[in-house]
Amino acid sequence: MSKSKSPAVVKVRRATRTDIPDLVELNIAAYPNLAEDNIVWGESHLASHLRIFPQGQFVAEVKGRIVGAASTLVVNMGPDALRNHTWSGVTDSGYFTNHDIAADTLYGADVYVHPDARGLGVGAALYDARRKLCRKLNKRRILAGGRLWNYREHADKFSPQEYAELVAAGEMRDLVLSFQLREGFQLRRVMPNYLQDPNSRNHASLIEWLNPDYNPEKSGARKVRVACVQYQMREVTSFEEFARQVNYFVDVAADSDADFVLFPELFSVQLLSMTKTKSPREGMRQLAKYAPRLVKLMSKLAVQYGVTLISGGHPTKVGRELRNVASICLPDGSVTEQHKLHITPNERKWWGISGGHPLPVIEAPNAKVGVLICYDSEFPEAARYLADQGAEIIFVPFCTNDRQGYLRVRTCSAARAVENQVYVALAGNVGNLPDVENMDVQYGQAAILTPSDFMFARDGIAAEADSNEETVLICDLDLDDLHEARALGTVTPRLDRREDLFQMQTHLVPLPAAQPDAIGPLGSQRDWSREQNPEGG
């Protein structure tokens, strides 16, 4: 990167998971002294930002190279939005797990720019992207904290508040605050102990930008749109033909502004129609060879259409075992696996499928979700665990060959919705594959089920499709209603559990966690943030 400060075209776009290694390197380049102490963003922090709030993470490019980035979340500041706070507290130690999309304050957690690109307008472009996002989301304000970069040089003459006021009046220059004021922000106060920083003596400015287009009437309820694909089994002659069918259904759902698209369990089994196998067990192992291509396809479509895709379930080799694995593909390109936990006698006997683990709750952009594959919905403990971990919607992809099997899944899913006060969405296959043994006939009826209370549909059914007809069932779900029912419903089973009588113990294997040594002091020294960039916070 040339150090010339001639005008440059700065392109700002949303960050993706493939950018993470570059962002880690950019952070090191922006703060070489801090990098020696490992006080930089780690991959786990950046991955958490993209998983929780992908639309709030930006990168800036000049001539195709990433030269700057900004991290943003939405926070609930309570009745006093301008109160004192710490960087660690407002960002949940840098992981953004306190992100609340329903709140009215967009918070600028960080902006960092490559040293060679400073002075090219990169910071200004990133701040402009934040203002546009604030308007788009109809948030009341943007708040940010920035350390008083040059305060140490004047600490013997002025208090932090006096110093900040002199900068705001234009009588002194501060590398961070002066830039923020030029970007249209107002100084609201000086916060002590915001972050650990000798230059600012741990003080930071609290700056605010008020959205002139803010309309509180538009804030409305927190809703998500769910699309359940009732998938018709049919013969295919190639993987590309299968991919075109999948793309078609995702396109239909995306045209309807769906946030989530659920495919049935084993909808990919139609790939066996183009192969000849001697037995159902051999067929499942042949199908497992397509697992990487299927995940790649679904992840690509999730990114392309900006939706969260749940791929149902597909035979997948895990060590020596064959498991039934669903992929939850987020619009940022990340993929989480959900293994089927409970295996039916038929699956075990004919296909040689083994049960797996773990059971994660996924932080999708619009809601916290979990997945129970077909038979798993018939075990109350699994849904209880997901609900206790914060799941708001449980997706149940299923594959049943008769009405009795379907009703087991449907009835148990309705019970899970009532017991745990969650939404449950179901999608299954329909039609037949005459030449595929043990998968020849399918029975299905997609449905979206709710708790049973006044704020929901009368029968606890938000929507349902006609049985055994290929279609896409689309429905809006109000998450605010869900949380209101949990606190103030006619019955409150989540609050009224007799834990003095019954307790659930789990032996689930957790997802692998990042090691603190690999992610920097933001993960291990959770009381303080890293230093901020000279172009603002």
Side-chain angles (χ1 to χ4, degrees):
M1 177 66 63
S2 170
K3 293 188 177 182
S4 170
K5 300 305 180 184
S6 58
V9 177
V10 181
K11 177 184 176 183
V12 176
R13 61 171 174 82
R14 276 173 51 172
T16 68
R17 286 186 65 87
T18 58
D19 295 324
I20 289 178
D22 290 335
L23 294 178
V24 172
E25 292 301 317
L26 175 64
N27 215 198
I28 294 172
Y31 304 108
N33 294 334
L34 298 182
E36 293 179 2
D37 297 325
N38 205 24
I39 306 177
V40 291
W41 284 126
E43 291 191 4
S44 64
H45 299 102
L46 296 168
S48 182
H49 302 171
L50 287 169
R51 183 174 62 252
I52 291 171
F53 187 40
Q55 58 267 52
Q57 317 313 315
F58 301 105
V59 296
E61 295 178 330
V62 173
K63 296 182 180 180
R65 180 181 176 183
I66 295 176
V67 294
S71 300
T72 309
L73 70 160
V74 181
V75 294
N76 185 341
M77 299 299 291
D80 181 9
L82 303 181
R83 60 180 170 79
N84 283 343
H85 56 270
T86 65
W87 186 92
S88 179
V90 79
T91 65
D92 209 358
S93 296
Y95 284 92
F96 294 6
T97 45
N98 59 323
H99 169 72
D100 181 2
I101 192 61
D104 66 358
T105 298
L106 192 69
Y107 198 91
D110 191 20
V111 169
Y112 48 106
V113 176
H114 194 283
D116 291 346
R118 290 172 186 163
L120 298 180
V122 177
L126 291 166
Y127 266 61
D128 185 56
R130 279 180 176 165
R131 288 190 291 266
K132 290 178 179 176
L133 178 63
C134 186
R135 286 187 169 101
K136 180 180 179 181
L137 297 179
N138 190 42
K139 300 306 178 186
R140 184 185 297 273
R141 64 174 65 83
I142 300 175
L143 287 182
R147 61 175 179 166
L148 300 179
W149 187 274
N150 305 110
Y151 175 62
R152 183 167 63 175
E153 301 171 9
H154 307 277
D156 58 337
K157 297 179 181 179
F158 306 107
S159 69
Q161 185 68 39
E162 290 170 338
Y163 171 80
E165 290 173 356
L166 288 170
V167 174
E171 299 179 24
M172 299 184 68
R173 183 178 181 273
D174 181 271
L175 205 56
V176 170
L177 181 54
S178 296
F179 167 80
Q180 294 170 327
L181 297 172
R182 290 198 304 271
E183 288 299 311
F185 283 76
Q186 300 295 317
L187 174 66
R188 297 307 187 196
R189 72 190 314 159
V190 172
M191 299 182 292
N193 300 317
Y194 182 72
L195 49 81
Q196 189 176 30
D197 167 49
N199 281 356
S200 66
R201 300 289 176 90
N202 302 342
H203 288 82
S205 61
L206 176 63
I207 57 167
E208 181 183 37
W209 179 81
L210 292 173
N211 179 6
D213 301 324
Y214 176 66
N215 185 347
E217 295 180 358
K218 292 182 181 178
S219 58
R222 187 162 69 101
K223 292 186 178 181
V224 297
R225 182 163 293 177
V226 173
C228 300
V229 180
Q230 191 155 292
Y231 195 88
Q232 173 78 42
M233 286 292 178
R234 53 172 66 83
E235 293 184 358
V236 294
T237 58
S238 67
F239 186 89
E240 289 70 25
E241 182 182 352
F242 165 75
R244 284 195 296 272
Q245 294 175 13
V246 176
N247 186 93
Y248 166 77
F249 284 110
V250 179
D251 184 62
V252 168
D255 280 347
S256 298
D257 293 325
D259 299 298
F260 296 90
V261 185
L262 173 65
F263 280 85
E265 177 191 25
L266 297 175
F267 75 103
S268 55
V269 80
Q270 64 184 136
L271 292 167
L272 288 181
S273 63
M274 62 186 190
T275 64
K276 297 296 182 181
T277 58
K278 297 179 180 179
S279 68
R281 186 177 292 255
E282 180 187 350
M284 287 295 110
R285 276 153 179 75
Q286 289 288 337
L287 196 59
K289 296 178 181 179
Y290 290 99
R293 295 183 70 182
L294 177 63
V295 174
K296 183 177 180 180
L297 169 66
M298 300 301 280
S299 180
K300 176 184 175 182
L301 293 175
V303 173
Q304 176 182 343
Y305 288 98
V307 298
T308 297
L309 291 183
I310 299 97
S311 72
H314 181 89
T316 304
K317 287 281 289 184
V318 180
R320 296 184 178 181
E321 294 182 340
L322 190 66
R323 296 184 184 176
N324 188 349
V325 179
S327 297
I328 302 90
C329 304
L330 300 188
D332 67 355
S334 62
V335 179
T336 301
E337 290 185 347
Q338 176 58 65
H339 296 215
K340 191 170 186 177
L341 308 179
H342 304 88
I343 307 304
T344 66
N346 185 68
E347 292 171 314
R348 191 179 301 111
K349 174 182 177 181
W350 292 102
W351 295 341
I353 299 287
S354 300
H357 48 72
L359 186 59
V361 169
I362 297 98
E363 293 268 5
N366 310 90
K368 294 182 179 181
V369 305
V371 176
L372 297 177
I373 302 175
C374 198
Y375 194 34
D376 288 337
S377 66
E378 300 178 33
F379 294 83
E381 302 88 350
R384 173 60 52 84
Y385 176 83
L386 288 174
D388 285 349
Q389 301 306 309
E392 297 166 307
I393 307 171
I394 295 177
F395 290 97
V396 180
F398 67 88
C399 177
T400 53
N401 60 3
D402 54 37
R403 190 169 183 269
Q404 289 91 336
Y406 165 72
L407 286 177
R408 286 194 296 270
V409 174
R410 166 70 175 257
T411 304
C412 290
S413 293
R416 305 295 86 85
V418 172
E419 294 163 352
N420 299 290
Q421 294 181 294
V422 296
Y423 293 116
V424 181
L426 299 87
N429 302 302
V430 299
N432 60 82
L433 287 171
D435 297 325
V436 178
E437 189 176 356
N438 207 45
M439 283 291 291
D440 45 359
V441 178
Q442 302 297 305
Y443 184 102
Q445 184 179 21
I448 299 174
L449 309 175
T450 76
S452 185
D453 214 331
F454 288 108
M455 58 280 292
F456 306 107
R458 186 187 67 174
D459 299 322
I461 304 169
E464 61 182 341
D466 292 333
S467 60
N468 296 328
E469 296 288 339
E470 186 172 51
T471 188
V472 180
L473 179 68
I474 298 176
C475 178
D476 286 341
L477 300 178
D478 191 321
L479 299 180
D480 286 344
D481 282 351
L482 192 70
H483 289 280
E484 180 183 352
R486 291 177 178 183
L488 303 170
T490 305
V491 294
T492 51
R494 292 174 62 87
L495 300 178
D496 298 334
R497 289 159 57 181
R498 289 289 303 276
E499 294 187 358
D500 58 323
L501 299 179
F502 307 101
Q503 291 188 357
M504 185 174 72
Q505 183 178 9
T506 177
H507 301 284
L508 286 165
V509 177
L511 289 171
Q515 297 300 314
D517 290 342
I519 61 177
L522 283 178
S524 58
Q525 298 177 14
R526 301 178 66 89
D527 291 335
W528 297 101
S529 85
R530 65 178 182 81
E531 291 187 349
Q532 302 294 297
N533 186 279
E535 299 219 39

